[in-house]
Amino acid sequence: MRYCNRCGADVSFIVPAGDSLPRFVCNSCGHIHYENPRLVVGCVATWEERILICRRAIEPQLGFWTLPAGFMENGETTTEAATRETMEEAGAKIIVDAPFAMVSIAHINQVHLFYRGRLASPDYAAGEESLEVALVAANEIPWNELAFRSVRHCLERFLEDRASGRFQFHETALTPLASTP
Amino acid sequence: MRYCNRCGADVSFIVPAGDSLPRFVCNSCGHIHYENPRLVVGCVATWEERILICRRAIEPQLGFWTLPAGFMENGETTTEAATRETMEEAGAKIIVDAPFAMVSIAHINQVHLFYRGRLASPDYAAGEESLEVALVAANEIPWNELAFRSVRHCLERFLEDRASGRFQFHETALTPLASTP
Ligand SMILES: [Zn+2]
Ligand SMILES: [Zn+2]
């Protein structure tokens, strides 16, 4: 950020009076531009025993498989975001059951929230951001071609809970992967 | 928003190509300024049977009682946000137990997330944003002087779950209150 979005003047990255963290503060009008983590909301949606997954048509992780999910928009609830993303990316109408997994990823300023849900019918179709969409059995999940660690976490917990007969709400945090020297 | 924060030129509020919602788009460099809901994270923290509450020293709802909570910051997890806010507003160190309640408030573009936690010791002190802090028994909660509906929802569910002996994760959405004509 280089310019104030209210008056167009330059900004400085400084700690405002009474604050404890640096912010982009306008050198002219004084407006403080707060930046906050974003919520990514998605769904583990099933039809009978099968799970709905999408192969990404966009970066990052183009070509890899994911659960339908995306940035929550202003003006919607978390449930509405999960429903909308599943329709946009997988062409599938879902009945949302319950929040299922929440993953904080502090180093990219995101919180991922996945619901459990069921397809209203076995109809789906790749949206603009998907190359293909599939309903897969547990033993067909492409574990080595998953796009994101939060998706892996969610699918692992989902299969465990389903096997145990009791779904819980899961919370975790992911830290950066160690880079190989 | 009137000016691009990358180049300082004017922005227009239009639907970008391939998008479905209007965004602030720079008329010069084309940068799209996405705006997303913000997470407010807090805690129902207890010492023995008592609950930690704060009386607000700032607007909105100055003078009303709330649970320690505030906007999640970039670079932290949701658990860290709950811990930090409880320290900042109530001067109390907590042990976080589990996520407890999530409240979507679409008309103000917020999601409120409350944890359950316990004070590490019965020590607390009003921070800069609090007039006073108290540890109250269930029958001492100032129901008619609570600052926010999400806080009321959280406290109600907490007392119900505690009475039943089983804590669950609760999710709900709040819509605008009807205005009296
Ligand atoms: Zn300015
Ligand atoms: Zn620009």
Side-chain angles (χ1 to χ4, degrees):
Chain A
M1 183 177 302
R2 292 186 56 196
Y3 299 97
C4 175
N5 60 28
R6 290 210 178 164
C7 78
D10 294 342
V11 294
S12 297
F13 194 60
I14 55 171
V15 179
D19 204 338
S20 55
L21 291 172
R23 319 279 182 185
F24 290 103
V25 180
C26 178
N27 295 325
S28 176
C29 76
H31 179 60
I32 302 170
H33 302 74
Y34 292 97
E35 296 187 303
N36 300 89
R38 293 204 288 174
L39 265 166
V40 171
V41 183
C43 192
V44 195
T46 54
W47 175 259
E48 294 165 355
E49 294 295 299
R50 292 173 172 268
I51 298 170
L52 186 74
I53 58 174
C54 308
R55 202 152 74 86
R56 289 174 63 80
I58 54 171
E59 295 290 356
Q61 296 294 87
L62 192 156
F64 287 79
W65 291 89
T66 190
L67 294 166
F71 289 110
M72 186 177 174
E73 298 277 7
N74 278 352
E76 66 186 1
T77 66
T78 49
T79 305
E80 288 167 350
T83 305
R84 175 183 54 74
E85 289 289 345
T86 308
M87 177 54 73
E88 285 180 7
E89 299 189 352
K93 185 174 184 334
I94 55 167
I95 299 116
V96 171
D97 285 324
F100 178 66
M102 184 170 66
V103 183
S104 285
I105 315 177
H107 59 285
I108 56 170
N109 306 319
Q110 292 183 3
V111 176
H112 292 191
L113 174 69
F114 295 97
Y115 280 82
R116 285 188 292 115
R118 287 159 292 140
L119 272 68
S121 68
D123 300 308
Y124 54 87
E128 288 194 1
E129 298 185 359
S130 303
L131 294 171
E132 57 180 313
V133 176
L135 271 176
V136 295
N139 63 5
E140 297 168 338
I141 292 172
W143 294 106
N144 294 322
E145 297 169 56
L146 291 182
F148 305 110
R149 285 189 290 157
S150 64
V151 167
R152 168 182 293 273
H153 169 81
C154 184
L155 286 169
E156 287 173 347
R157 298 295 84 69
F158 183 83
L159 295 178
E160 286 170 5
D161 279 12
R162 188 166 73 177
S164 79
R166 177 165 173 243
F167 287 108
Q168 296 185 274
F169 183 69
H170 299 271
E171 188 214 10
T172 195
L174 294 177
T175 51
L177 287 173
S179 55
T180 46
Chain B
M1 184 177 303
R2 293 185 57 195
Y3 299 97
C4 175
N5 60 28
R6 290 209 179 166
C7 78
D10 294 341
V11 294
S12 298
F13 194 60
I14 56 172
V15 179
D19 205 338
S20 55
L21 291 173
R23 319 280 181 184
F24 290 102
V25 180
C26 178
N27 295 325
S28 176
C29 77
H31 179 62
I32 303 169
H33 302 74
Y34 292 97
E35 297 187 302
N36 300 89
R38 293 203 288 174
L39 265 166
V40 171
V41 182
C43 192
V44 195
T46 53
W47 175 258
E48 295 164 354
E49 294 296 300
R50 293 173 172 267
I51 298 170
L52 186 74
I53 59 174
C54 309
R55 202 153 74 86
R56 289 174 63 81
I58 55 171
E59 295 290 355
Q61 297 294 88
L62 192 156
F64 287 79
W65 291 89
T66 189
L67 293 166
F71 288 110
M72 185 176 173
E73 297 277 5
N74 278 353
E76 66 185 3
T77 66
T78 48
T79 305
E80 289 167 349
T83 305
R84 176 183 54 73
E85 288 289 346
T86 308
M87 177 54 73
E88 284 180 8
E89 299 189 352
K93 185 173 185 333
I94 55 168
I95 298 117
V96 171
D97 284 325
F100 178 67
M102 184 170 67
V103 183
S104 285
I105 315 178
H107 60 286
I108 56 169
N109 306 320
Q110 291 182 4
V111 175
H112 293 191
L113 174 69
F114 295 97
Y115 280 82
R116 284 188 292 114
R118 287 159 293 140
L119 272 67
S121 67
D123 300 308
Y124 54 86
E128 287 194 0
E129 298 185 358
S130 303
L131 294 171
E132 58 181 311
V133 177
L135 271 176
V136 294
N139 64 5
E140 296 168 338
I141 292 172
W143 294 106
N144 293 323
E145 296 169 57
L146 292 181
F148 305 111
R149 284 190 290 157
S150 64
V151 167
R152 167 182 294 273
H153 169 81
C154 184
L155 286 169
E156 287 173 346
R157 298 295 84 69
F158 183 83
L159 296 178
E160 285 171 6
D161 279 12
R162 187 164 74 175
S164 79
R166 180 167 171 239
F167 286 107
Q168 297 186 272
F169 183 68
H170 300 271
E171 189 215 8
T172 194
L174 294 177
T175 50
L177 287 173
S179 55
T180 47

